[in-house]
Amino acid sequence: MSASTVPREGRSRSSPIVLLLVVSLALVGMLAAQAYDAARSQRSMAEKVLHDYAALVVDEYERRAANELGFNGYYFVITALKDVVTRPGATLPPPRALALRVGDETKRALPLARTFFRFDPSSGSLETAGPVLDQEAAAWLRRVLGERGGKPLEPGRRYETRYTRIGDALRGFVLVPVPASAGAAPPDRSGPSLLVGFAIDVGALRAALQRALDRGPLLPPSLGGSEIAKNAVFVSLTDPFQNVLIREGAPFSPSLGSEKTLGSEPNGILQGFVLRAAIDPAAAPRLAIGGLPRSRLPILLAILALTAGLMVTAIVQLRRERALARLRSDFVSRVSHELRTPLTQIRMFAETLLLDRVRGEDERTRSLAIIDREARRLSNLVENVLRFSRSQRGDGRVSPRPQELGPIVSELLEDFRPLAEGRGMLVRAPVPSAIMARVDEDAVRQILLNLLDNAVKYGPEGQEVRVGVSNSSGTARIWVDDEGPGIPSAERQRIWQPFYRLERHRESSVAGTGIGLSVVADLVAQLGGRFWVERGERDGARFVVEFPAASSTGGRE
Ligand code: ADP
């Protein structure tokens, strides 16, 4: 049968679509993975470059600070001081007094020295000149110088620096050993070294460090120009006690920055200080490294999710279509089957009559009754199919008007009698009169016919089917109660859906199309009524339909 090929066609048509969707999903996934990889490697490259530039800034500032403090600062002060104190009989002058006797370069460096000192490690005596050292600083200095003693400088050094913190303040000292024969000691006496030096003026130290910063861009101009150096470079210098001495620019992501603990510069003048630098990532494009990539991941993930969503929707749709195609094909074959059974009977008995093969009047009457019964079944089936296809198109046509239900039911039962008798079934219907409802006569006939037909099909042979008509507040009710197996409560909603049949009837010999109850449901709904099924009086099924009542004054039109 051609209908049976529908599902197969559905499957063969849907497979390439699913395949294409899967391939496109895989491609988008690959694209996303590649883009993610590319973005990640570009980011890590850009971050590395930013980090390297920050390291350049650190090196450049360290070099400048060492120059500013060392070669242009401490060196001149120490040289002048040594020069003075190593003269025979020289006294220790205060820094201001020394300024009067030295050249311009030394004069410029002298503000770095606050107080000069001379220390004799052998006696522990500490002599100072200039602003008086507070007691705590003097005690610390005496202890440090005592521990150091007069041992010579490390090779390559011209002096040493020491830093401490007293209270919250940074204190620094520059010192150098000189022979004991120098200074106050008699020239002929050679003995252990003396230590001379000065307490650093921290204000001047800060100023020198700031000068180092102000001497032009810290990044080579070829890498971005002075504009970048001014606005996109962050530098900070903290002393060994975590106090910030110099800060320039807003701090940027530390992961892109560089940090260095100083100490390797000549004479260790910034030993233990921490220098940090970072470049503003926003300036990256101007540094000719292409900038940090903007993440395309969200948009790619969105595309991925969209494709996956499309795929799921398409698959669900295809499955639905396939299921529908299967239902349609089942429906067509069931209808064909249902049509064939009465047609065969009609043809057979019509032939018997035509060829005059009947054995008597009784048999003739029986044959005619069968033809009549099967023709009614046929027309009921055709009527159901027509109603169903109309309701599927949303084209149901009912014309409700006030009608008395009793006569409609009685007439229908009369018509139905041949069918009932065919199964030895007894229909009991004490139909009361004067129950009015707003209904369409044809629709009520169709509804009742379908319910009775089901009672015949699914109930036992010889059963008694009870039909009732009643009314209560504002509604009129018709019910059909059989002696069949009933409807399990879990299925009582679903049986009204098109094509739905109970599991036990799907493969059974009881033929059915699965549209009878859906036609009932549709007609009742169109008439503004309600329908349901419940357990019957004798444990069978009791189908109930309810219509809006009409006043008896309206009468039958
Ligand atoms: P069908 O053509 O299969 O009878 P219907 O829509 O009329 O289609 O009924 C749907 C299903 O509900 C039937 O297949 C059957 O399983 C079940 N059913 C309907 N009426 C009865 C009944 N009186 N007793 C038991 N089962 C019934």
Side-chain angles (χ1 to χ4, degrees):
M1 205 191 298
S2 68
S4 66
T5 61
V6 174
R8 237 191 347 263
E9 272 176 23
R11 190 169 23 246
S12 61
R13 228 182 290 137
S14 62
S15 310
I17 297 176
V18 173
L19 191 72
L20 279 177
L21 279 168
V22 170
V23 170
S24 83
L25 188 68
L27 283 176
V28 174
M30 265 165 58
L31 204 68
Q34 277 179 3
Y36 175 68
D37 247 25
R40 216 176 45 171
S41 76
Q42 196 191 336
R43 170 169 287 276
S44 82
M45 170 95 79
E47 283 180 359
K48 204 168 150 310
V49 172
L50 283 178
H51 180 270
D52 287 352
Y53 283 6
L56 269 183
V57 169
V58 164
D59 287 348
E60 172 64 11
Y61 183 74
E62 182 186 11
R63 194 184 60 75
R64 281 191 203 175
N67 253 340
E68 200 67 45
L69 282 179
F71 300 128
N72 299 328
Y74 299 162
Y75 171 74
F76 284 113
V77 182
I78 284 291
T79 309
L81 184 62
K82 265 168 73 179
D83 189 36
V84 173
V85 295
T86 48
R87 284 189 200 144
T91 53
L92 189 67
R96 273 200 193 158
L98 187 62
L100 302 172
R101 305 190 233 155
V102 292
D104 283 350
E105 281 167 325
T106 310
K107 208 178 279 170
R108 267 199 299 275
L110 264 174
L112 283 167
R114 190 174 150 77
T115 306
F116 285 145
F117 66 78
R118 178 161 49 193
F119 178 73
D120 184 349
S122 57
S123 66
S125 80
L126 177 69
E127 181 191 352
T128 61
V132 181
L133 280 183
D134 53 273
Q135 265 186 0
E136 221 177 317
W140 180 85
L141 184 62
R142 193 175 282 118
R143 185 171 54 76
V144 169
L145 295 177
E147 279 165 13
R148 187 202 181 283
K151 63 177 184 288
L153 291 167
E154 274 176 33
R157 289 205 165 183
R158 289 173 180 276
Y159 49 85
E160 285 176 14
T161 29
R162 301 288 157 89
Y163 292 95
T164 185
R165 184 165 60 171
I166 293 174
D168 270 345
L170 174 72
R171 297 299 180 90
F173 298 89
V174 176
L175 54 116
V176 62
V178 292
S181 55
D188 56 328
R189 223 186 87 192
S190 63
S193 292
L194 293 177
L195 289 163
V196 295
F198 59 90
I200 297 167
D201 184 295
V202 175
L205 171 79
R206 264 183 221 274
L209 291 169
Q210 186 63 45
R211 275 200 303 281
L213 202 62
D214 296 341
R215 255 202 282 136
L218 286 162
L219 267 183
S222 58
L223 293 182
S226 54
E227 184 53 30
I228 294 232
K230 239 188 256 161
N231 301 323
V233 174
F234 165 75
V235 189
S236 83
L237 180 71
T238 45
D239 68 23
F241 314 102
Q242 273 81 49
N243 296 316
V244 178
L245 284 178
I246 293 291
R247 169 176 285 171
E248 183 98 335
F252 307 117
S253 164
S255 67
L256 305 180
S258 174
E259 179 179 308
K260 183 174 183 183
T261 303
L262 306 181
S264 60
E265 60 291 323
N267 304 307
I269 51 169
L270 287 171
Q271 183 114 31
F273 282 59
V274 178
L275 186 53
R276 293 187 180 89
I279 312 290
D280 183 0
R286 282 183 286 153
L287 288 168
I289 55 172
L292 295 178
R294 253 188 303 145
S295 173
R296 302 233 152 70
L297 204 59
I299 196 156
L300 281 167
L301 284 180
I303 294 176
L304 207 62
L306 202 72
T307 318
L310 272 176
M311 198 172 122
V312 170
T313 317
I315 288 175
V316 168
Q317 198 61 31
L318 285 171
R319 292 185 87 178
R320 260 195 219 146
E321 261 179 34
R322 210 184 283 173
L324 213 63
R326 200 178 307 125
L327 277 177
R328 257 188 232 125
S329 126
D330 282 0
F331 173 65
V332 170
S333 67
R334 277 195 230 146
V335 169
S336 314
H337 183 71
E338 287 245 314
L339 286 173
R340 207 160 19 169
T341 318
L343 273 177
T344 314
Q345 300 236 47
I346 290 171
R347 276 184 58 191
M348 203 174 79
F349 285 97
E351 246 172 56
T352 311
L353 288 171
L354 274 174
L355 298 176
D356 211 11
R357 286 199 193 128
V358 282
R359 276 188 294 255
E361 204 47 40
D362 273 3
E363 202 170 317
R364 177 184 301 278
T365 314
R366 203 174 69 85
S367 301
L368 282 170
I370 289 173
I371 290 173
D372 177 53
R373 188 187 70 204
E374 294 305 312
R376 281 172 200 275
R377 265 180 70 184
L378 213 52
S379 74
N380 183 33
L381 182 64
V382 171
E383 185 62 22
N384 262 347
V385 172
L386 284 176
R387 289 246 185 222
F388 177 71
S389 78
R390 254 188 252 141
S391 81
Q392 290 293 295
R393 288 201 308 268
D395 181 22
R397 268 179 254 147
V398 292
S399 336
R401 59 201 169 96
Q403 308 236 34
E404 202 177 329
L405 285 182
I408 304 177
V409 174
S410 306
E411 228 169 83
L412 188 270
L413 287 177
E414 195 53 40
D415 288 353
F416 187 71
R417 187 171 314 159
L419 274 170
E421 281 170 359
R423 293 281 313 263
M425 184 174 106
L426 182 72
V427 181
R428 243 189 51 191
V431 180
S433 57
I435 290 183
M436 298 289 293
R438 265 187 69 77
V439 289
D440 174 306
E441 185 173 340
D442 287 344
V444 173
R445 284 176 63 86
Q446 188 75 25
I447 289 166
L448 198 52
L449 204 55
N450 280 347
L451 296 181
L452 285 168
D453 193 40
N454 280 349
V456 172
K457 278 197 300 190
Y458 301 112
E461 211 155 321
Q463 69 173 326
E464 180 187 285
V465 174
R466 293 177 189 166
V467 177
V469 181
S470 64
N471 64 347
S472 66
S473 54
T475 56
R477 203 179 265 187
I478 302 176
W479 48 263
V480 176
D481 195 315
D482 64 32
E483 288 181 39
I487 311 282
S489 44
E491 305 275 13
R492 287 180 188 163
Q493 294 287 329
R494 269 189 283 175
I495 52 165
W496 303 94
Q497 290 170 8
F499 310 125
Y500 191 79
R501 304 196 75 202
L502 292 185
E503 185 77 49
R504 60 172 177 249
H505 296 135
R506 271 177 223 161
E507 306 299 331
S508 79
S509 59
V510 187
T513 53
I515 60 167
L517 287 181
S518 82
V519 167
V520 170
D522 191 54
L523 289 173
V524 176
Q526 282 187 56
L527 292 170
R530 296 192 307 147
F531 53 87
W532 68 92
V533 62
E534 57 195 25
R535 191 181 166 150
E537 285 166 5
R538 292 150 302 155
D539 288 344
R542 181 188 174 98
F543 284 86
V544 187
V545 288
E546 213 174 58
F547 306 105
S551 69
S552 54
T553 48
R556 233 183 129 186
E557 285 172 20

